[in-house]
Amino acid sequence: MAELKSTDRVVVVGAGVAAAQCAVALREGGWHGPLSLVGAEPHHPYDRPPLSKDVLLAKADRTALDLDWEALDVQLLTGRRATSLAAGRLGTDAGELPYDRLVLATGAIPIRLPGAAAARVLRTIDDSLALRAALRPGAHLVLVGAGWIGAETATAARRLGCRVTVLEAAGAPLPGALPAELTEPMRQWYAQAGVELRLGARVDRIEPGAVHLADGELVVADEVVVGVGARPDTAWLAGSGVELDAGGAVSADASLRTTLPGVWAAGDCVSYPSARYGERVWVQHWDHALHSGRAVAAALLGGEVAYDPVPYFWSEQFGRMVQYVGRHSAGDRLLWRGSPEDAQWSVLWLREERPVAVLTVDRPRDLAQARRLIDQGAVLDPVLAADPALPLKSAVR
Ligand code: FAD
C-alpha cells in the first residue's frame, strides 16, 4: 500500500453514499487503520433515492445502508458538522479531529428561494418523513420546479390523493437537461396523472400558504415544496486551500485528489476533469456517488486512479422507469427507438455514428446494451439502431 500506512488516521466528512462506499472499499481493500466518518445528520449513512419514492408512499420508513459499522471497525461520528479545514486538522462543532488523509463527501444542499422558511425541500430522510405526514388526501401541494425530484414528488403526492400544481419558470419540464421533443411527451405525463403543470410560471417569493409569481399572481397552497436544484455543500471549506470550481464544487484532479495535500473528494460535492468528455464535469447521481467513493478508496490504497465513468441515473415518475446513461450535447443526432405514443420507448444520441447517450422509458434492455456500447465507443448502423424491434447491440457495424 503505497499511499496509506497502517497507523494513518483517515477521516471521511459527510456520511452519505459516497462516504460509506469509500469506507467500505478501504476495508475491502485490506486496510485496517483508524477510520472515522463525520456526518452532520443524526443518522447512520442512508440512501436518498427512495426519499422521493418509497418513503413518501410509506413503503419504507428508513433507507439506512445495510452495513455493520461495528464489524467494519468504522467510527461513526454522526450529528457532528465539519466547520473548518486546515492541513492535518478538521474543525467540527464538537472539537477538532486530526487526520493524515481526509475525504470530502459532503454532498449537495437544495437551492432555496426567497421566503424559504415557508417552503419545504426534499433532501434528507427527515424532510421526506415530514412531507409525507403533510400530504393528506385533498391537500393542495404546490411544487416549484419541474425537474426530476419535482416529477417524483408530484407522482407520490397524486397517489396519496393530493391536488398537485407544479410551477416551472421555463417553457418545458426538465429545462436544460433534455430537448423539447423529449420534454413534450413528458409534459403529457403530468396531465395524464392529473397534475397541473404551469410552464413559464416564475416564482418571486414564498410566504406561508402562498406562492407569489413574478407577474403578481398569488397561488394558494397547503404545502409548498421547492425543487429547483442543489449546489455543492462546500461553503465551510472557504480559506482551507481546497480549490472550488465556479459552481462551488471541490475542484479535484482525475484521481479525485484536491488541491490540499492529503485530501480527496467524492460524490455530489466534487467536479473532476473528464478525458472522455473533454471538460470538467459535476455529476449529482447515486451511481457517481458510489463509484467515486470507491475510486477515492482505491487511490488512497495506492492504486492508479483515472476516474472517468459513463454517468448513469434513473428516475421513477408517473408509473414509468426513466433511465439515462452517457452525456449528450446539442449537436448530437437524436434517434428514436419507438414512439412517445408507445408505453415503452428510447432515444439514442449519436455523434458520428457512435452512441454518446441514451434515455429509456421502461426499456431497461436498451439501457444495459447502450451502456456497454457507449463505453466501448461502438459504431452503429443508424437504420438498425432506430428499429425498436431489434436489440440495440445488433446495430453494431
Ligand atoms: P449526500 O447523499 O448529500 O450525503 C452527504 C452527507 O454529508 C449528508 O448527510 C450531509 O448532511 C453531510 N454533510 C454535509 N456537510 C457536512 C459537514 N460540513 N460536516 C459533516 N457532514 C456534512 N440519484 C439517482 O441517480 N437516481 C435517483 O432516483 C435519485 N433520487 C433522488 C431523490 C432525492 C430525494 C434526492 C435528494 C437525491 C436523489 N438522487 C438520485 C441523487 C443521489 O441521492 C445523490 O447523488 C447522492 O445522495 C449523493 O451522495 P453523496 O454521498 O455525495 O452526498
Side-chain angles (χ1 to χ4, degrees):
M1 287 176 203
E3 285 284 344
L4 270 182
K5 296 194 292 291
S6 62
T7 51
D8 280 345
R9 290 155 303 183
V10 176
V11 174
V12 185
V13 195
V17 168
Q21 288 296 331
C22 180
V24 169
L26 281 172
R27 292 302 190 225
E28 285 173 358
W31 182 73
H32 299 293
L35 176 53
S36 306
L37 247 63
V38 181
E41 291 182 67
H43 309 291
H44 282 197
Y46 64 88
D47 267 333
R48 287 179 210 281
L51 301 184
S52 48
K53 309 172 182 77
D54 287 1
V55 174
L56 282 186
L57 291 170
K59 292 181 186 168
D61 292 333
R62 56 192 298 279
T63 65
L65 303 181
D66 189 16
L67 292 165
D68 185 341
W69 295 105
E70 219 176 286
L72 285 165
D73 193 20
V74 173
Q75 184 187 32
L76 276 188
L77 300 172
T78 49
R80 189 162 173 178
R81 181 174 287 279
T83 50
S84 65
L85 176 61
R89 283 176 294 119
L90 178 74
T92 81
D93 55 8
E96 220 170 65
L97 286 174
Y99 70 83
D100 297 295
R101 298 285 185 271
L102 187 81
V103 181
L104 303 171
T106 49
I109 42 171
I111 293 168
R112 307 268 179 166
L113 295 175
R120 298 173 185 276
V121 291
L122 182 46
R123 181 75 198 179
T124 68
I125 181 84
D126 296 327
D127 293 338
S128 183
L129 291 171
L131 175 60
R132 175 170 110 188
L135 293 180
R136 299 171 310 281
H140 183 206
L141 172 69
V142 172
L143 280 158
V144 183
W148 302 107
I149 289 189
E152 294 191 349
T153 307
T155 303
R158 282 300 292 150
R159 285 206 191 136
L160 294 169
C162 300
R163 194 181 134 214
V164 181
T165 303
V166 177
L167 304 174
E168 170 55 59
L174 293 166
L178 295 173
E181 55 191 303
L182 295 186
T183 52
E184 182 55 28
M186 291 174 169
R187 205 167 60 81
Q188 309 296 335
W189 297 352
Y190 285 79
Q192 288 157 9
V195 174
E196 188 192 5
L197 172 61
R198 295 188 51 185
L199 300 172
R202 183 169 294 281
V203 170
D204 177 52
R205 68 184 194 281
I206 303 161
E207 65 182 35
V211 177
H212 290 263
L213 301 185
D215 65 6
E217 187 186 339
L218 193 74
V219 182
V220 175
D222 294 309
E223 294 293 335
V224 181
V225 176
V226 174
V228 294
R231 57 178 174 74
D233 198 347
T234 54
W236 66 281
L237 291 167
S240 67
V242 171
E243 190 181 305
L244 305 182
D245 68 18
V250 173
S251 181
D253 69 11
S255 62
L256 301 177
R257 192 189 288 255
T258 77
T259 47
L260 189 64
V263 181
W264 279 256
D268 279 8
C269 73
V270 73
S271 70
Y272 57 92
S274 166
R276 187 188 292 279
Y277 298 113
E279 58 184 333
R280 176 164 287 280
V281 296
W282 177 49
V283 178
Q284 295 179 80
H285 306 317
W286 184 90
D287 190 66
H288 158 68
L290 182 147
H291 290 293
S292 59
R294 299 189 75 87
V296 166
L300 289 172
L301 294 170
E304 281 294 314
V305 170
Y307 182 74
D308 200 8
V310 177
Y312 162 77
F313 72 91
W314 79 97
S315 171
E316 293 163 46
Q317 45 180 283
F318 306 116
R320 295 165 176 90
M321 171 61 98
V322 181
Q323 291 170 289
Y324 179 98
V325 68
R327 192 174 168 91
H328 70 272
S329 29
D332 297 327
R333 176 177 170 195
L334 197 139
L335 208 67
W336 281 87
R337 282 173 60 77
S339 142
E341 309 300 321
D342 301 337
Q344 304 160 343
W345 49 268
S346 305
V347 291
L348 197 65
W349 283 267
L350 294 181
R351 198 173 299 162
E352 290 164 9
E353 303 198 341
R354 290 182 202 279
V356 290
V358 69
L359 178 129
T360 64
V361 177
D362 287 330
R363 282 184 69 104
R365 214 168 278 163
D366 279 2
L367 193 285
Q369 293 182 15
R371 199 174 199 171
R372 275 194 297 278
L373 298 175
I374 293 168
D375 203 33
Q376 291 159 4
V379 175
L380 301 187
D381 177 326
V383 176
L384 296 179
D387 185 346
L390 296 175
L392 193 53
K393 61 184 179 190
S394 70
V396 176
R397 284 206 206 265

